[in-house]
Amino acid sequence: MAKLDKRSEIVRAAVQIIADQGFHGSPMAMIAERAGVAAGTIYCYFESKDILIKELYREIEGKLLEALRVGYQTERPIRERFLHLGINFLKYFVAHPLESKYMEQFHNSPYGVDLRRGRFAKEFKDDDLLYLELFEQGVAQQVIKDLPTILLFALAFGPVITLTRDHILGFIELDDALIEKTIAACWDGIKR
């Protein structure tokens, strides 16, 4: 197996196992076995399990941000931009259920808590600015409610995350029309 293929298989296996069994139920040996590599091989690519977990998050987040940016136009009105981002966000995770489950695991763990503390302490990275700028501009233009950023994120993404999980579990079938209605309802929650 080529070096890039080994890394890809490790990443794929780790996302699958962690999404299904959580961080503690996913020993490196199990990930290696699923990836078809020797246990020591993982450490050639990832120094520790913590580094693997954080790197998987960065990779999934990078793919998500790439999907959000497709067709995104900063000169469009705030509402249109919000709908574009929200619809792409929800469609991405509906199409990638393992990545969605992984991200939920991550955000509900100490890793996610540390990440959120940094982001909401104004230590945002450039990638975080997509929504942050949208919210700040919307508040400044009096199009979005003047609420703390963490509350705007919760109102915008809380329902989306819950519905993504319910879709994955088979409680609801999210088609394009329902996705659009869902994001429009999220907009209604933050608009003035």
Side-chain angles (χ1 to χ4, degrees):
M1 191 181 306
K3 190 169 183 161
L4 285 176
D5 291 340
K6 286 182 185 179
R7 187 185 187 287
S8 296
E9 286 302 308
I10 292 166
V11 166
R12 184 191 56 74
V15 169
Q16 288 176 341
I17 293 171
I18 292 169
D20 290 337
Q21 299 183 31
F23 297 123
H24 297 297
S26 305
M28 294 293 258
M30 182 185 294
I31 294 169
E33 183 178 335
R34 174 88 51 99
V37 300
T41 302
I42 291 180
Y43 296 100
C44 294
Y45 300 94
F46 305 98
E47 199 173 295
S48 68
K49 186 174 177 182
D50 284 343
I51 289 173
L52 171 64
I53 289 167
K54 292 173 186 175
E55 183 60 27
L56 291 175
Y57 177 85
R58 280 191 288 277
E59 287 186 22
I60 293 169
E61 183 181 51
K63 291 176 191 174
L64 171 63
L65 290 167
E66 190 176 305
L68 294 180
R69 287 190 178 102
V70 172
Y72 184 72
Q73 300 173 11
T74 56
E75 68 278 356
R76 303 299 305 160
I78 300 291
R79 181 181 184 277
E80 284 182 35
R81 289 165 43 204
F82 178 86
L83 294 175
H84 173 89
L85 292 173
I87 288 167
N88 284 3
F89 185 93
L90 188 47
K91 282 183 176 182
Y92 181 85
F93 280 129
V94 164
H96 300 92
L98 285 177
E99 291 180 0
S100 175
K101 289 170 67 176
Y102 181 89
M103 294 298 267
E104 190 169 9
Q105 288 274 348
F106 186 91
H107 281 286
N108 289 309
S109 75
Y111 299 106
V113 172
D114 288 345
L115 178 76
R116 291 181 71 222
R117 276 200 180 102
R119 288 184 175 176
F120 289 115
K122 295 293 185 189
E123 297 171 16
F124 285 85
K125 302 181 307 187
D126 289 341
D127 291 338
D128 300 318
L129 298 178
L130 205 56
Y131 271 101
L132 181 63
E133 285 179 353
L134 180 73
F135 290 152
E136 288 176 349
Q137 290 171 5
V139 169
Q141 294 175 22
Q142 297 185 351
V143 177
I144 292 178
K145 294 173 182 163
D146 189 6
L147 296 170
T149 304
I150 194 167
L151 185 50
L152 291 173
F153 272 93
L155 291 170
F157 296 111
V160 172
I161 292 165
T162 300
L163 283 173
T164 301
R165 180 180 54 238
D166 288 348
H167 172 83
I168 291 167
L169 294 173
F171 297 133
I172 189 167
E173 181 65 33
L174 292 173
D175 59 18
D176 287 349
L178 195 51
I179 286 172
E180 289 177 18
K181 288 177 185 177
T182 298
I183 301 306
C186 291
W187 170 255
D188 290 342
I190 66 168
K191 73 175 184 178
R192 275 188 168 228

